[in-house]
Amino acid sequence: MSETTDFNFSCLTHLGDLSIEQFLKEYSQKRPLLIPQAFSNFQSPISAEELAGLSLEEDVVSRLIIEDRKNRDWKLQHGPFDESIFTQLPENDWTLLVQHVDSLDPDVNSLLEAFRFIPNWRLDDIMVSYAPDGGGVGPHFDYFDVFLLQGEGQRRWKLGPKCDESSPLIPGQAMKILQSFKTEEEYVVNPGDLLYIPAQYAHWGEAVGESVTYSIGFRAPSHGEILLDFSQ
């Protein structure tokens, strides 16, 4: 395991009790996996305040999502934001997302070293999110693999079945929110915990108190790309 208090991350050799070889054989692109304390003594390289500061910048891709629980509605706003917006937000049930933080902050970029057991060409980016209590982006699925690393606070994750383009979505939403969600597994994660979710698996995360989460996304390779990587 990595000691991460100084942000000098090194490539993981194990995910919990699993060797990387076991993970790649038994879990990668097959089924989700929770790894409690994959990063011991983890301290978030970026704070909520720094993340908010990045969302004010013109060349940074950021989003703000505000949930109306009563009406099952998620409002989406795109940055850059004015600083005053953070004084107008509700107390709970919203999320700030900032993309490509690995290219904006060298300490966050160093986190990529921990995942060098996956080919570099599959890396998408590191997205960082901040949410107060109850904040989340709703039940959804992605077309890429993701490692969800808890940075600060706690987050409740519900995992559902595998989905595809035929899975019903809530109409009229700016984002692709699943119309129904069947919880198959549920976890409350703490700083240093790592949750792996393969492409197309439904998941739903909500902050428990204030929460900072790192999403390390990896493109799901095609069959041809797997053969090319193997030959190389």
Side-chain angles (χ1 to χ4, degrees):
M1 292 186 184
S2 300
E3 288 293 327
T4 59
T5 54
D6 56 1
F7 310 130
N8 290 324
F9 300 95
S10 57
C11 185
L12 292 169
T13 59
H14 287 75
L15 293 172
D17 295 330
L18 290 177
S19 68
I20 293 301
E21 290 75 15
Q22 286 177 290
F23 167 77
L24 293 174
K25 181 179 179 180
E26 298 174 18
Y27 288 89
S28 181
Q29 300 188 295
K30 295 181 178 72
R31 51 183 170 145
L33 176 66
L34 174 67
I35 309 103
Q37 291 303 289
F39 293 82
S40 59
N41 302 315
F42 185 80
Q43 293 182 10
S44 179
I46 194 167
S47 67
E49 292 76 14
E50 290 170 325
L51 195 67
L54 287 174
S55 74
L56 309 180
E57 298 182 12
E58 188 70 33
D59 57 348
V60 172
V61 179
S62 59
R63 292 170 290 163
L64 191 59
I65 299 165
I66 303 173
E67 180 182 355
D68 178 351
R69 287 180 178 270
K70 183 178 179 180
N71 297 306
R72 291 197 75 204
D73 184 57
W74 285 262
K75 298 294 186 186
L76 172 65
Q77 300 179 45
H78 292 276
F81 299 109
D82 186 272
E83 192 171 359
S84 63
I85 197 171
F86 294 107
T87 65
Q88 303 166 13
L89 291 169
E91 186 176 344
N92 300 320
D93 299 342
W94 59 270
T95 300
L96 173 67
L97 306 166
V98 180
Q99 300 280 163
H100 307 293
V101 182
D102 51 298
S103 66
L104 304 171
D105 185 284
D107 289 329
V108 175
N109 183 271
S110 69
L111 181 58
L112 294 176
E113 294 303 317
F115 297 92
R116 292 302 182 193
F117 58 88
I118 295 178
N120 288 344
W121 59 265
R122 286 192 56 201
L123 175 66
D124 191 2
D125 78 325
I126 297 181
M127 180 183 74
V128 184
S129 66
Y130 165 79
D133 191 58
V137 301
H140 67 286
F141 70 96
D142 303 306
Y143 284 103
F144 54 84
D145 296 350
V146 65
F147 286 93
L148 298 162
L149 172 61
Q150 190 62 20
E152 293 182 4
Q154 293 183 313
R155 196 169 187 87
R156 176 177 288 104
W157 285 105
K158 297 177 182 179
L159 307 184
K162 200 168 186 179
C163 301
D164 57 31
E165 60 277 357
S166 67
S167 301
L169 304 176
I170 297 177
Q173 294 289 310
M175 300 176 301
K176 296 181 178 179
I177 307 294
L178 289 167
Q179 200 169 80
S180 62
F181 186 91
K182 180 182 178 182
T183 301
E184 296 185 346
E185 298 175 78
E186 183 172 334
Y187 308 105
V188 174
V189 296
N190 297 288
D193 291 351
L194 188 65
L195 178 61
Y196 168 70
I197 302 178
Q200 295 184 248
Y201 273 86
H203 52 287
W204 188 355
E206 292 186 320
V208 180
E210 292 187 278
S211 174
V212 173
T213 304
Y214 293 75
S215 300
I216 302 99
F218 290 87
R219 301 179 188 92
S222 67
H223 181 68
E225 288 170 328
I226 293 173
L227 291 176
L228 176 61
D229 181 60
F230 179 77
S231 66
Q232 290 175 340

